[in-house]
Amino acid sequence: MAARRVLLWAMGIVLLLGTGLALLGYVASRSDTVLRWGIERFASRLPCQLALEGLRGAITEPLHIARVSCENADYRVEGRDVLLDWSPWLLTQRRLDISMLRMASLSYRGKRTAAGPGETRPPDNLGLPISVRAATIEIDSLSIERANAAPLLLSNLRAAYEADARKHALALHGLVSEWGKVRGDLSIGANSPFVLQARLQVNSARLEQWPVDAVVRLSGSLARLGVKVEGQAGPLPFSAAAELAPFELEPVKALQARSDAVNLAAFDQRLPATALVVELSAQPHGLESLTGTLSVLNPQPGPADDQHLPLKTLQSQFRLSAQELALRDATFDLGAAGEASGQVVLGQGRLQLDVNVRRLDLRQLYATLRATQLAGTLRVEGGQARQRVAVNLREADLRIEGEAQIGDGRLRIERLLARTGGAQASASGHVELDDTLAFALKGDLRRFDPARFGDFPKADISGTVQAHGALRPQWRASVTYRLARSRYLGQPLEGQGTLTIAPGRVRDVDARLTLGPNTARLRGSFGVSGDAMQFDVRAPVLAVFERGISGALQGSGTLSGTQSQPALDARFTAARIAYRAYRVETWTGELRLEQGEDPQLALRWKLAGVKSGQHVLDRLNVSADGTLSAHHIEFAAQGENIDASAQLQGGFRRDTATWRGRLVHFENASEYAFALLQPAALELAADHVLFGATRVRVLNTDITLGETVYRNGELASSGSTSGVRLSPLLALLERPPKLDTTLVFGARWSLQAGEKLDATLDVAREGGDIVMRGEEPLALGLKQAVFSLRAVSNRIDAELAVSGDRLEVQASAQTKAQRRAAGWGIAGDAPLKLDARAELKSIRALIALLAGNALVGDGSLQLRVQADGTVAEPRLAGTLA
């Protein structure tokens, strides 16, 4: 019992002691004195003087600090509105565990001038004596200031951090600067050589229309760092690589940059679409200069008027320093257009450009210009206040010269001259280099013949042109022209006029032009609501304008409204119009188009005496009424064996430039009867034509047509028919054969013609016979007649089988189709294979058919023919009995 009492007393004393210690610890943990004692112990080990303001909390609770700073002779670090949620008891395990570290602001200000390259050295060790983990770090704003550098302002730092004696790792969830946003992961070893790895995603919209989206990868060590960047800057894809040595006198060891598929049209839609490959390789020389090579490759060079860039390659050495940028030994390979070489120096208020041109072919720059082999120079030189520009290109009798001066805020074009033979064009003027770019130009033409400069009509033009206006904020120009003692198309050419033009509008027009007996006059304005432009054209001799056309034309009217919603009221009369095989005795027309989103329109055309070869129409009338998007069109034509009419309903869509509707009526009531039995969808556009499924009746025969589509050079069609009588078709021939027939047949077909030809055609006798004429007509007694054709991937197979009382035919043939410019066909060099057998049991009617009554006879005929070779040169073999 005594031992039991001793044990109970001992346990009670331990329990009381433990409870007392727990209460003491709790009181201490809630004590502001104990908290400050702990902070003072922590501050004594810092390399700077720690100061706190507005401290609240306890060791076991989150700490709130209004302001905390740490300052020494080198720097000052200050944080405001700090929240720290941590686990202090883990410090006994040499661990610092922070659940949340949040600051409204954090600033760093360096007091000493930052060390330059080579003035610092890598640290000996970056390891920490304890392990640190910060699960969440949030800092709303950061500022970093150094004595010799502009402050760096950052915001919205969101991160997590871990470190120990071996490694530091930062998970950057977000960081914002004036240049953009960055996020990613970074790790660095704590011991030499301090191996570093990082992957950062950078997004920036600082430069307007040049948003940057890039991935930056860092690898290597703190002393020798490799950087790779891949991304997109606006429309420009790019990649770059650099080798850095941050602690050496020359921190940048090498730099390469490359951009594939650079599209100039992405920068300016007026420039050609390209896929340039641009490469830059550079070698820094300290922080003073950068030298290297620049290379540009254009995989698809070509003429500028064909929306290509007339440059094949550019190779150049360059040097970039704080004073100047110099391109030395630059060579421009223009492909078939020639070549150029020279240098460009820009810097210290000086510009110098000196380029030598060789074998410059203007036709390879613009296909309509003449072929040349120009050689010469292009020079620009001067200082910041004034520069001179001179161009001098020559070849045989062709000279292109110009001189200009830039200074005092003005570009003065002293002389610009193009001369060949006796033809000459010159210009002079000036452009103000201010916000308006106001200009005044004067041009002079003396016996100018455009044909001497390219593929232009031959002419002899003399006259003057004057223009003045401005290019900004919106370009405008007032133009005055005068032509005298000129000739064009072999006719006297005269004219004069004035006009003012600006984007979307031409106003105050008073222009007249006379070519031989033909005249044109324009007066008024066009472009905005309320404008009206009157025009009057009188052309009694159309043959002046183009060889092959003749007749007379007179027209007048008024153009009003805007470019997007124009209005037109026009009338014209033409007589004795002839063009190639077409003739029209008289042609009158009217067109009215009202201004509006969906303008009302009315069209009336009347043509008489229309001829095309042997075909003649006494009259042809066309009318259209409705709106642009919903209207009704009627055609009526009369002539020999023609009494046709047609009606269409539909509309035109301006956004797609497509007419879409239906052919609701089409009929010819003459001897060659034709009728549309059901309406057909119809769609017309620049790149396709669609004619919908329908049924038609031709010469009392019904034909079922599937949808027919022609799109981008490819044709698809199908159809079928039955009950077709052969006799009306034979009557259409100029020399019908001497036979009578009651033969009736049917057919079906399909066609796919594009890059390859696929087609089917089946024709079969449905009834009837063929009778050869003569004193004793001979009926063939047909029982079967079948023809089939198959085209698969351009290979054509055809078969014919005919059987009757007096005739048997079996034939097969193979060849190959070929696509030509005008369509599909069979070329003369196409391979050919033929195998045919035929037996005619009586040839009496055949003799009568071929010889008339001059020869009488009878017999039978058996024929076997085989062939190979080509269509143009077949090799035939066979027997005839």
Coordinates of all heavy atoms in Angstrom, one line a residue, residues 799-839:
E799 N -17.2 0.0 -125.6 CA -17.7 -1.2 -126.2 C -18.9 -1.0 -127.0 O -19.8 -0.1 -126.6 CB -17.9 -2.3 -125.1 CG -16.7 -2.8 -124.4 CD -17.0 -3.9 -123.4 OE1 -18.2 -4.2 -123.2 OE2 -16.1 -4.4 -122.8
L800 N -19.1 -1.7 -128.1 CA -20.2 -1.6 -129.0 C -20.7 -3.0 -129.3 O -19.9 -3.8 -129.7 CB -19.9 -0.8 -130.2 CG -21.0 -0.7 -131.3 CD1 -22.2 0.1 -130.8 CD2 -20.5 -0.1 -132.6
A801 N -22.0 -3.2 -129.2 CA -22.6 -4.5 -129.5 C -23.9 -4.3 -130.3 O -24.8 -3.6 -129.7 CB -22.8 -5.4 -128.3
V802 N -24.0 -4.7 -131.5 CA -25.2 -4.6 -132.4 C -25.5 -6.0 -133.0 O -24.6 -6.6 -133.5 CB -25.0 -3.6 -133.5 CG1 -26.2 -3.4 -134.4 CG2 -24.5 -2.2 -133.0
S803 N -26.8 -6.3 -132.9 CA -27.2 -7.6 -133.4 C -28.6 -7.4 -134.1 O -29.4 -6.6 -133.6 CB -27.2 -8.7 -132.4 OG -28.2 -8.4 -131.4
G804 N -28.8 -8.2 -135.2 CA -30.1 -8.1 -135.9 C -30.1 -9.2 -136.9 O -29.2 -10.1 -137.0
D805 N -31.2 -9.2 -137.7 CA -31.4 -10.3 -138.7 C -30.3 -10.2 -139.8 O -29.9 -11.3 -140.3 CB -32.7 -10.1 -139.4 CG -33.9 -10.4 -138.4 OD1 -33.6 -11.0 -137.3 OD2 -35.0 -9.9 -138.6
R806 N -29.7 -9.0 -140.1 CA -28.8 -8.9 -141.2 C -27.5 -8.3 -140.8 O -26.6 -8.0 -141.6 CB -29.4 -8.1 -142.3 CG -30.6 -8.8 -143.0 CD -31.2 -7.9 -144.1 NE -32.2 -8.6 -144.8 CZ -33.5 -8.7 -144.4 NH1 -33.8 -8.1 -143.2 NH2 -34.4 -9.4 -145.1
L807 N -27.3 -8.0 -139.5 CA -26.1 -7.3 -139.0 C -25.7 -7.8 -137.6 O -26.5 -7.9 -136.7 CB -26.4 -5.8 -139.0 CG -25.2 -4.9 -138.5 CD1 -24.1 -4.9 -139.5 CD2 -25.7 -3.5 -138.3
E808 N -24.3 -8.0 -137.5 CA -23.8 -8.4 -136.2 C -22.5 -7.5 -136.1 O -21.6 -7.6 -137.0 CB -23.4 -9.9 -136.1 CG -24.6 -10.8 -136.2 CD -25.4 -10.7 -134.9 OE1 -24.9 -10.3 -133.9 OE2 -26.6 -11.1 -134.9
V809 N -22.3 -6.8 -135.0 CA -21.1 -6.0 -134.7 C -20.7 -6.2 -133.2 O -21.5 -6.1 -132.3 CB -21.4 -4.5 -135.0 CG1 -20.1 -3.7 -134.6 CG2 -21.8 -4.3 -136.4
Q810 N -19.4 -6.5 -133.0 CA -18.8 -6.5 -131.7 C -17.5 -5.7 -131.8 O -16.7 -6.0 -132.6 CB -18.5 -7.9 -131.3 CG -19.8 -8.8 -131.0 CD -20.5 -8.4 -129.7 OE1 -19.8 -7.9 -128.8 NE2 -21.8 -8.7 -129.7
A811 N -17.3 -4.7 -130.9 CA -16.1 -3.9 -131.0 C -15.8 -3.4 -129.6 O -16.7 -3.2 -128.7 CB -16.3 -2.7 -131.9
S812 N -14.5 -3.2 -129.3 CA -14.0 -2.7 -128.1 C -12.8 -1.8 -128.4 O -12.0 -2.1 -129.3 CB -13.6 -3.7 -127.1 OG -12.6 -4.5 -127.5
A813 N -12.6 -0.7 -127.6 CA -11.4 0.2 -127.9 C -11.0 0.7 -126.5 O -11.8 0.9 -125.6 CB -11.8 1.3 -128.8
Q814 N -9.7 1.0 -126.5 CA -9.1 1.6 -125.3 C -8.1 2.7 -125.7 O -7.4 2.6 -126.7 CB -8.3 0.6 -124.4 CG -9.1 -0.5 -123.8 CD -9.3 -1.6 -124.8 OE1 -8.4 -2.0 -125.6 NE2 -10.5 -2.2 -124.8
T815 N -8.2 3.8 -125.0 CA -7.3 4.9 -125.2 C -7.2 5.7 -123.9 O -7.6 5.3 -122.9 CB -7.7 5.8 -126.4 OG1 -6.7 6.8 -126.7 CG2 -9.0 6.5 -126.1
K816 N -6.6 7.0 -124.0 CA -6.4 7.8 -122.8 C -6.7 9.2 -123.1 O -6.3 9.7 -124.1 CB -5.0 7.6 -122.3 CG -4.7 8.3 -120.9 CD -3.3 8.0 -120.5 CE -3.1 8.5 -119.1 NZ -1.7 8.2 -118.6
A817 N -7.5 9.9 -122.2 CA -7.8 11.3 -122.3 C -6.7 12.1 -121.7 O -5.9 11.7 -120.9 CB -9.1 11.6 -121.7
Q818 N -6.7 13.4 -122.2 CA -5.6 14.3 -121.7 C -6.3 15.7 -121.5 O -7.1 16.1 -122.4 CB -4.5 14.4 -122.7 CG -3.4 15.3 -122.3 CD -2.2 15.3 -123.3 OE1 -2.1 14.4 -124.1 NE2 -1.5 16.4 -123.3
R819 N -5.9 16.4 -120.4 CA -6.4 17.7 -120.2 C -5.6 18.7 -121.0 O -4.4 18.7 -120.9 CB -6.4 18.0 -118.7 CG -7.1 19.3 -118.4 CD -7.2 19.5 -116.9 NE -8.1 20.6 -116.5 CZ -8.4 21.0 -115.3 NH1 -8.0 20.3 -114.3 NH2 -9.1 22.0 -115.1
R820 N -6.4 19.6 -121.7 CA -5.7 20.7 -122.4 C -6.2 22.0 -121.9 O -7.1 22.1 -121.1 CB -6.1 20.5 -123.9 CG -5.7 19.1 -124.5 CD -6.2 19.0 -125.9 NE -5.9 17.7 -126.5 CZ -6.4 17.3 -127.6 NH1 -7.1 18.1 -128.4 NH2 -6.1 16.1 -128.1
A821 N -5.7 23.1 -122.5 CA -6.1 24.4 -122.1 C -7.6 24.6 -122.3 O -8.3 25.3 -121.5 CB -5.3 25.5 -122.8
A822 N -8.1 24.1 -123.4 CA -9.5 24.3 -123.8 C -10.4 23.3 -123.2 O -11.7 23.4 -123.3 CB -9.7 24.4 -125.3
G823 N -9.9 22.3 -122.5 CA -10.7 21.2 -122.0 C -10.1 19.9 -122.2 O -8.9 19.7 -122.5
W824 N -11.0 18.8 -121.9 CA -10.5 17.5 -122.1 C -10.6 17.0 -123.5 O -11.5 17.4 -124.3 CB -11.3 16.5 -121.2 CG -10.9 16.6 -119.8 CD1 -11.4 17.4 -118.8 CD2 -9.9 15.9 -119.1 NE1 -10.8 17.3 -117.6 CE2 -9.8 16.3 -117.8 CE3 -9.0 14.9 -119.5 CZ2 -8.9 15.8 -116.9 CZ3 -8.1 14.4 -118.6 CH2 -8.0 14.8 -117.3
G825 N -9.6 16.2 -124.0 CA -9.7 15.6 -125.3 C -8.7 14.5 -125.4 O -8.1 14.0 -124.4
I826 N -8.7 13.9 -126.6 CA -7.8 12.8 -126.9 C -6.7 13.2 -127.9 O -7.0 13.7 -129.0 CB -8.6 11.6 -127.5 CG1 -9.6 11.1 -126.5 CG2 -7.6 10.4 -127.9 CD1 -10.5 10.0 -127.1
A827 N -5.5 13.2 -127.4 CA -4.4 13.7 -128.2 C -4.0 12.7 -129.3 O -4.3 11.5 -129.2 CB -3.2 14.0 -127.3
G828 N -3.3 13.2 -130.3 CA -2.9 12.4 -131.4 C -1.9 11.3 -130.9 O -1.8 10.2 -131.5
D829 N -1.1 11.6 -129.9 CA -0.1 10.6 -129.4 C -0.7 9.7 -128.3 O 0.1 9.0 -127.7 CB 1.2 11.3 -128.9 CG 0.9 12.3 -127.8 OD1 -0.3 12.5 -127.4 OD2 1.9 12.8 -127.2
A830 N -2.0 9.8 -128.1 CA -2.6 8.9 -127.1 C -2.5 7.5 -127.5 O -2.7 7.2 -128.7 CB -4.0 9.3 -126.8
P831 N -2.3 6.5 -126.6 CA -2.2 5.1 -127.0 C -3.6 4.6 -127.5 O -4.6 5.1 -127.0 CB -1.7 4.4 -125.8 CG -2.2 5.3 -124.7 CD -2.0 6.7 -125.2
L832 N -3.6 3.6 -128.4 CA -4.8 3.1 -129.0 C -4.8 1.6 -129.1 O -3.8 1.0 -129.5 CB -5.1 3.7 -130.4 CG -6.3 3.1 -131.1 CD1 -7.6 3.5 -130.5 CD2 -6.3 3.6 -132.6
K833 N -5.9 1.0 -128.7 CA -6.1 -0.5 -128.9 C -7.5 -0.7 -129.4 O -8.4 -0.1 -128.8 CB -5.8 -1.3 -127.6 CG -4.4 -1.5 -127.3 CD -4.2 -2.5 -126.2 CE -2.7 -2.7 -125.9 NZ -2.0 -3.3 -127.1
L834 N -7.7 -1.5 -130.5 CA -9.0 -1.6 -131.1 C -9.1 -3.1 -131.5 O -8.2 -3.7 -132.1 CB -9.1 -0.7 -132.3 CG -10.4 -0.9 -133.1 CD1 -11.6 -0.5 -132.4 CD2 -10.3 -0.1 -134.4
D835 N -10.3 -3.6 -131.3 CA -10.6 -5.0 -131.7 C -12.1 -5.0 -132.1 O -13.0 -4.7 -131.3 CB -10.4 -6.0 -130.6 CG -10.5 -7.4 -131.1 OD1 -10.9 -7.6 -132.3 OD2 -10.3 -8.4 -130.3
A836 N -12.4 -5.2 -133.4 CA -13.7 -5.1 -134.0 C -14.0 -6.2 -134.9 O -13.2 -6.6 -135.7 CB -13.9 -3.7 -134.6
R837 N -15.3 -6.7 -134.8 CA -15.8 -7.8 -135.7 C -17.1 -7.3 -136.2 O -17.9 -6.8 -135.5 CB -15.9 -9.1 -135.0 CG -14.7 -9.8 -134.6 CD -15.0 -11.1 -133.9 NE -13.8 -11.8 -133.5 CZ -13.2 -11.7 -132.3 NH1 -13.8 -10.8 -131.4 NH2 -12.1 -12.4 -132.0
A838 N -17.4 -7.5 -137.6 CA -18.7 -7.1 -138.1 C -19.0 -8.0 -139.3 O -18.2 -8.5 -140.0 CB -18.6 -5.6 -138.7
E839 N -20.4 -8.3 -139.3 CA -20.9 -9.2 -140.4 C -22.2 -8.6 -140.9 O -23.1 -8.3 -140.1 CB -21.1 -10.6 -139.9 CG -21.7 -11.5 -141.0 CD -21.9 -12.9 -140.6 OE1 -21.6 -13.2 -139.4 OE2 -22.4 -13.7 -141.4

